[in-house]
Amino acid sequence: MELNARIPDHPIDQMWDRHRFDMKLVNPANKRKYEVIVVGTGLAGGAAAATMGELGYRVKCFTFHDSPRRAHSIAAQGGINAAKNYQGDGDSVYRLFYDTVKGGDFRSREANVYRLAELSLNIIDQAVAQGVPFAREYGGLLGNRSFGGAQVSRTFYARGQTGQQLLLGAYQALERQIHEGTVQMHVRCEMLDVIVIDGRARGIVTRDLVSGKIEAHMADAVVLGTGGYSNAFFLSTNAKGCNVTATWRAHRRGAGFANPCFTQIHPTCIPQSGDYQSKLTLMSESLRNDGRIWVPKRAGDDRAAGQIPDAERDYYLERLYPSFGNLTPRDIASRRAKEMVDQGHGVGPMKNGVYLDFRDAIQRLGKAVVSERYGNLFQMYEKITGEDPYEVPMRIYPAPHYTMGGLWVDYELMTTVPGLFAIGEANFSDHGANRLGASALMQGLADGYFIIPLTIGNFLAEHSRGDVDENHAAARDTVREVTQAQERLLAVKGSRTVDSFHQELGRLLWDHCGMSRNESGLREALAKIPELRERFWRDVTVPGSGDTLNQSLEKAGRVADFLEFAEVMCWDALTRDESCGAHYREEHTTEEGEAQRDDERFAHGAIWEFKGVGEEPVRHREPLHFEHVPLSQRSYK
Amino acid sequence: MNLTLHVWRQTGPRDKGGFETYRADDVSESMSFLDMLDLVNEELTLAGKEPIAFEHDCREGICGSCGMMINGVAHGPQKLITACQLHMRSFRDGDEIWIEPFRATAFPVMRDLVVDRNSFDRVIQAGGYISVRTGSAQDANATPIPKPDADRAFDAAACIGCGACVAACPNASAMLFTAAKAAHLSYVPQGQTERLDRALSMAQRHDEEGFGNCTNHGACQEACPKGISVDYIARLNRDVLKGTLSKAGSTSGD
């Protein structure tokens, strides 16, 4: 597997600008001769499809949802970072770049991160021009708030629904292009494989989720904006439909998968309330701006929160990290919460949470201001738990939320398969071992609006147009393989439901490859996953048939892929014999209990090559160089 | 608690469909309504039957997927939430619950509780956007927007496209959905240039999709999980009227 990141040879602060000049262009008349497939309609995919359509490419866009507007980007709550420095508090492109590299614990590629920080400026302009109703101050200018991992206020937000508003902006731009005829939209159509011809991605195989028809779609390039894989854990904050299938299928066809063990556990979610639970609910990290996190000092203290005087409360983040306090990065906040619960300080009926308390904020700001900032989050919390956060503190606990790992891409966002690109959460590029809050929306939109529409031209200008169609032998073979896999699933007719296997896999991964990991646990998981996969294929039951709308069959295919993917996640966690960011190996901690990196051995991205189901994958490296942000131990004290 | 469910089952758009009755036993009050349906589906699957098809995704009230009628009310008995945010503490042991798809000509049933709401996408295609090319925007703070306008724009923009307004309306009108988008864009300065054309073409598309007329029942506002106000419908109607008059004016002037 050849890994050439193709980082342009220019100074970092001029790199993207000069690279845009170096890239070849496709002239306007020729653009309409090229077909581009975009899979996924979230912030990355939706923005990419709309912009490429606008530029004149013929775009075919796919989503398994009933409408492009349902993509999981819609659920992002807190905000989007941009180095606008509207607050005049010392922010700059360089500072956002620096914070992101440091927040990622030095496991991301400087060149990509710098470009991301630069493009953050354009994103806000673009969104406002589309009519995105960001929060404003009384003077009419845009408001900002602060977020974990930063000491400036650079987060733009639309109440607690920033993802929704940004996605609707991209969705509306996409619908406009559908109306113009530049984008052909395929809804309820799930991508199940990539068609690779002579080493180049030339199309995808999809299943129409209504008719069940499995067919090939060809193009000159394929772009995956298919999100992350947190649902490998079964219980996560991701929407139920989020899955690894598109990226895993691309991986099986030759795309390197980078850093799959970098999974982010979000610190502020509602604790689990029972075994029946189907998913966990995130409470925006923005709550940490005004909420104070604490546990009772005495383990097993059963008194109600209001009965515990201040002197008997441990505001442990403020105690351990006086300069960042409750705004430490996500990985640290999560790990410390787990530590408190493990030591018996947990609160709530299952003793599985910590308090996030707004008492002081309500006293300081008044209920009206707190309601203005967080009203809908408080309402959401009350609906789920039956408790009113204006009266009693929220209970929170970490949950899987975002995956920094993803398909390896070069500077132009192309995977190791020529013609196959990955954008947004589906790629690995910008967040290293830990993503800072309000940076996912930024990356999805930077990739979708501003990077891929240009870099794809550079690829297409150098590659001949499609002279292959659906009747090509490789396309027909891929369709046949997908059809056969589906028939196999339907034919098992065993005794266990798809969900029961997914839950079992999730528990296994959470226990051994979750918030903290160690060698023996990972080896145990690696022994158990193939067993579980084997039982799945022997004993799963998928009711119904393949030629109708069949939600059990859709789920079964996705869980089958998670069962293969889980192994490479554990291989990656096992071989990365250091702690960094969200990857916390119990064997490697500092005296203060922080992640202990090993830069000498592990200052690289780990890129995995597929060798067959159940075969040990091959690990490759992309060395990372830190020329601008000097390697240092992260400190948020 | 133990419950009796009457669930609409229909294999496809051409099937007549009908209610089937199931038991849901040992339901905990902290379960969500969809957790409860999951439980029933697991039992149906193990009994060799096909589970109930229903749409859902984020399960936190923002994606707009999970529309269904619960005891005749869109999204169920609690106000200002979606079906996925409804928890079983709203029900009592022994309750009977009737579960049906959203019903409207413009929302054909695809299977069980799943309906086709792409008519909404086509209403947006007719003009529910500001025509701006990627990269052509001025600085975001170049045009201040008074906070009250920005807040009103947001209130309208909070629509999740679930279709409860249509399901609740005796005429199956989608005017609340259409008006919410038109209003959102009409409150920001960027949306003024296309404002009247947008109103006209979205309203026209709304009618072409087979949605009924608005006769001011207000049932949509009651059913809306985001509390979107019917005032926006008046705003849209005013813009449609203005647009029609200015078109008529310009035609006669030619």
Side-chain angles (χ1 to χ4, degrees), chain A residues 279-567:
Chain A
K279 79 163 293 234
L280 297 170
T281 303
L282 173 79
M283 291 279 103
S284 168
E285 175 170 3
S286 62
L287 293 165
R288 289 201 277 146
N289 266 311
D290 291 308
R292 297 179 67 195
I293 294 173
W294 63 276
V295 291
K297 275 189 181 158
R298 182 164 56 82
D301 193 334
D302 276 334
R303 288 175 291 174
Q307 310 282 300
I308 303 177
D310 261 13
E312 294 173 46
R313 299 175 174 195
D314 181 8
Y315 292 91
Y316 58 89
L317 287 178
E318 295 171 23
R319 173 170 58 81
L320 293 164
Y321 307 96
S323 62
F324 278 71
N326 292 297
L327 291 177
T328 55
R330 291 176 172 180
D331 53 338
I332 293 176
S334 292
R335 217 147 43 224
R336 292 297 182 186
K338 179 179 191 299
E339 199 176 280
M340 290 298 149
V341 170
D342 289 351
Q343 290 169 5
H345 298 276
V347 298
M350 291 171 73
K351 300 270 175 223
N352 60 349
V354 299
Y355 286 127
L356 176 62
D357 198 340
F358 286 86
R359 184 196 63 184
D360 297 350
I362 292 168
Q363 272 169 16
R364 179 166 45 92
L365 303 164
K367 196 173 165 183
V369 174
V370 171
S371 160
E372 161 114 342
R373 287 186 192 165
Y374 309 110
N376 64 319
L377 298 170
F378 279 30
Q379 182 204 10
M380 184 196 275
Y381 181 86
E382 187 180 358
K383 294 294 176 198
I384 292 172
T385 62
E387 293 172 0
D388 177 4
Y390 292 105
E391 302 299 328
V392 293
M394 284 183 175
R395 289 174 290 112
I396 54 164
Y397 196 65
H401 169 62
Y402 184 90
T403 52
M404 284 74 68
L407 293 178
W408 181 88
V409 289
D410 62 18
Y411 188 72
E412 299 198 353
L413 306 183
M414 190 161 82
T415 69
T416 54
V417 176
L420 181 66
F421 295 78
I423 57 178
E425 191 179 355
N427 74 27
F428 89 116
S429 70
D430 295 345
H431 308 295
N434 176 55
R435 179 174 66 74
L436 292 179
S439 286
L441 304 184
M442 172 173 70
Q443 187 223 336
L445 290 177
D447 288 1
Y449 281 132
F450 298 109
I451 303 175
I452 194 76
L454 300 181
T455 59
I456 207 143
N458 195 34
F459 172 82
L460 293 172
E462 288 185 327
H463 291 80
S464 60
R465 276 191 303 114
D467 43 6
V468 292
D469 65 16
E470 307 73 66
N471 294 315
H472 190 283
R476 282 157 63 168
D477 286 349
T478 313
V479 168
R480 196 178 56 242
E481 286 166 36
V482 169
T483 310
Q484 285 167 349
Q486 181 179 300
E487 283 164 0
R488 270 178 70 205
L489 280 170
L490 288 162
V492 181
K493 297 191 188 304
S495 67
R496 282 182 60 183
T497 63
V498 174
D499 271 353
S500 78
F501 282 102
H502 195 178
Q503 276 162 338
E504 193 175 339
L505 175 69
R507 267 194 302 270
L508 187 65
L509 286 176
W510 180 246
D511 288 345
H512 299 302
C513 198
M515 234 187 307
S516 64
R517 298 137 180 206
N518 61 53
E519 185 182 342
S520 70
L522 289 164
R523 289 200 186 281
E524 192 183 327
L526 281 167
K528 283 183 171 166
I529 294 164
E531 258 174 53
L532 180 62
R533 188 169 58 230
E534 193 267 328
R535 274 189 282 134
F536 173 86
W537 282 101
R538 191 158 36 82
D539 200 21
V540 74
T541 182
V542 183
S545 65
D547 57 2
T548 57
L549 198 160
N550 184 339
Q551 294 174 325
S552 305
L553 179 61
E554 295 164 25
K555 248 190 326 200
R558 294 169 193 164
V559 172
D561 287 334
F562 275 130
L563 282 163
E564 293 179 7
F565 170 74
E567 258 179 294

Side-chain angles (χ1 to χ4, degrees), chain A residues 51 54 65-67 70 84 86 125 131 140 159 171-172 175 188 240-241 276 278-279 372 384 497, chain B residues 30 35 42 54-55 57-60 63 89 118 121 125 134 139-141 145 147 155 157 161 181 184:
Chain A
T51 304
E54 223 171 73
H65 286 107
D66 70 313
S67 162
R70 312 267 186 237
K84 283 288 197 184
Y86 285 159
D125 299 342
R159 294 191 200 157
Y171 158 75
Q172 288 160 205
E175 292 296 336
R188 295 189 195 273
K240 292 295 284 175
Y276 46 79
S278 56
K279 79 163 293 234
E372 161 114 342
I384 292 172
T497 63
Chain B
S30 55
D35 286 341
E42 289 287 282
F54 65 93
E55 242 162 345
D57 199 27
C58 76
R59 296 202 177 196
E60 44 193 67
C63 74
R89 65 179 75 90
N118 287 132
D121 294 323
Q125 281 163 31
T134 301
D139 184 82
N141 253 352
I145 302 178
K147 191 172 183 320
D155 289 340
K181 185 46 64 191
H184 158 211

Side-chain angles (χ1 to χ4, degrees), chain A residues 36-106:
Chain A
V36 180
I37 282 173
V38 178
V39 187
T41 61
L43 288 179
T51 304
M52 289 193 288
E54 223 171 73
L55 285 171
Y57 294 110
R58 280 188 292 148
V59 179
K60 293 191 269 193
C61 187
F62 296 82
T63 174
F64 65 77
H65 286 107
D66 70 313
S67 162
R69 68 182 291 154
R70 312 267 186 237
H72 186 54
S73 305
I74 200 108
Q77 298 171 357
I80 177 166
N81 288 329
K84 283 288 197 184
N85 194 29
Y86 285 159
Q87 303 301 319
D89 57 359
D91 201 10
S92 63
V93 166
Y94 204 88
R95 187 177 293 281
L96 175 54
F97 157 67
Y98 183 96
D99 286 349
T100 306
V101 171
K102 178 187 168 200
D105 215 2
F106 303 93

